[in-house]
Amino acid sequence: AQSVTQLGSHVSVSEGALVLLRCNYSSSVPPYLFWYVQYPNQGLQLLLKYTSAATLVKGINGFEAEFKKSETSFHLTKPSAHMSDAAEYFCAVNYPGGATNKLIFGTGTLLAVQP
Amino acid sequence: DAGVTQSPTHLIKTRGQQVTLRCSPKSGHDTVSWYQQALGQGPQFIFQYYEEEERQRGNFPDRFSGHQFPNYSSELNVNALLLGDSALYLCASTLQEAGYTFGSGTRLTVV
């Protein structure tokens, strides 16, 4: 079954520190992968997406993610955390062109940024 | 360029009642998907509409139904509301296999 696993439901970093949010997918076919951010009481905003082009994907707000097929991973990173990065982050996957093109989400990682 | 618009933003209903949520997709998008996000969880796919027909459905009971209109806007209907239906309902639109754009959601509380 296709699924997404986000390791760590809560991550806390200091302002200026590296942000690393982990995402692993389970699939036998190459997926498209996404990272979304959700601020309190708001919808989902797309940070970045991987669609089988370059494996290192740069997104908005200084975030980037690297697709590693051998590790079935798509971890999200940012070199220096800012207070405004505090939010919930969701990794998602879909399989365009197949019978299923819905987005399958992980359970989310709540990022706290300490001053 | 307006993004995805959902209405209402908040709603309180009583168990057993029926509710209708509305979604206007981003300009140029023809496909609308609905997701349910319970507190502390990731969004769960309910169904997707394309060309006014339900194209895919997630693991939700028949109490959940929808509709898409010729202008691509969509409604989500939930009958016989249960306390467990309390959640944030998100609408997402897309054009073919381009990226999904999400609305801000409708917060439904069932009491």
Side-chain angles (χ1 to χ4, degrees):
Chain A
Q2 300 150 347
S3 65
V4 175
T5 302
Q6 292 184 242
L7 293 176
S9 58
H10 292 79
V11 171
S12 181
V13 301
S14 298
E15 191 174 19
L18 171 71
V19 175
L20 171 61
L21 304 182
R22 300 178 184 275
C23 173
N24 288 86
Y25 66 93
S26 172
S27 169
S28 59
V29 298
Y32 285 4
L33 291 153
F34 306 80
W35 275 100
Y36 285 88
V37 61
Q38 186 175 38
Y39 296 98
N41 300 313
Q42 294 190 23
L44 301 173
Q45 180 183 9
L46 180 67
L47 281 175
L48 49 81
K49 61 182 178 182
Y50 167 76
T51 57
S52 73
T55 57
L56 181 62
V57 181
K58 295 187 183 298
I60 62 171
N61 302 339
F63 285 94
E64 64 180 38
E66 185 173 8
F67 173 69
K68 292 186 176 181
K69 184 178 179 181
S70 61
E71 299 178 6
T72 60
S73 69
F74 190 59
H75 302 330
L76 181 71
T77 60
K78 182 174 180 177
S80 177
H82 191 272
M83 296 296 289
S84 61
D85 294 327
E88 187 147 28
Y89 293 78
F90 292 95
C91 181
V93 63
N94 80 348
Y95 302 89
T100 301
N101 64 5
K102 64 183 180 183
L103 284 170
I104 301 169
F105 285 88
T107 52
T109 297
L110 187 61
L111 175 66
V113 181
Q114 308 299 327
Chain B
D1 178 27
V4 177
T5 305
Q6 292 188 243
S7 63
T9 55
H10 295 82
L11 203 53
I12 300 176
K13 289 287 190 178
T14 304
R15 279 178 295 176
Q17 285 189 314
Q18 178 265 342
V19 68
T20 297
L21 310 181
R22 295 177 175 81
C23 172
S24 293
K26 182 176 180 179
S27 178
H29 286 185
D30 60 2
T31 303
V32 173
S33 302
W34 287 92
Y35 291 80
Q36 180 195 65
Q37 185 179 16
L39 199 61
Q41 301 295 317
Q44 298 292 315
F45 176 77
I46 303 175
F47 42 53
Q48 182 180 86
Y49 277 85
Y50 173 70
E51 292 188 341
E52 302 180 50
E53 291 193 359
E54 184 182 289
R55 183 160 69 173
Q56 292 184 70
R57 188 178 184 90
N59 188 26
F60 280 81
D62 292 344
R63 298 186 297 108
F64 289 76
S65 63
H67 188 78
Q68 186 179 34
F69 299 93
N71 66 353
Y72 307 121
S73 66
S74 176
E75 290 182 348
L76 163 66
N77 301 291
V78 187
N79 294 322
L81 284 166
L82 304 174
L83 294 179
D85 295 331
S86 295
L88 179 68
Y89 288 85
L90 294 166
C91 172
S93 71
T94 188
L95 175 64
Q96 299 178 3
E97 294 176 351
Y100 290 82
T101 300
F102 281 82
S104 297
T106 294
R107 174 72 64 187
L108 173 64
T109 302
V110 182
V111 298

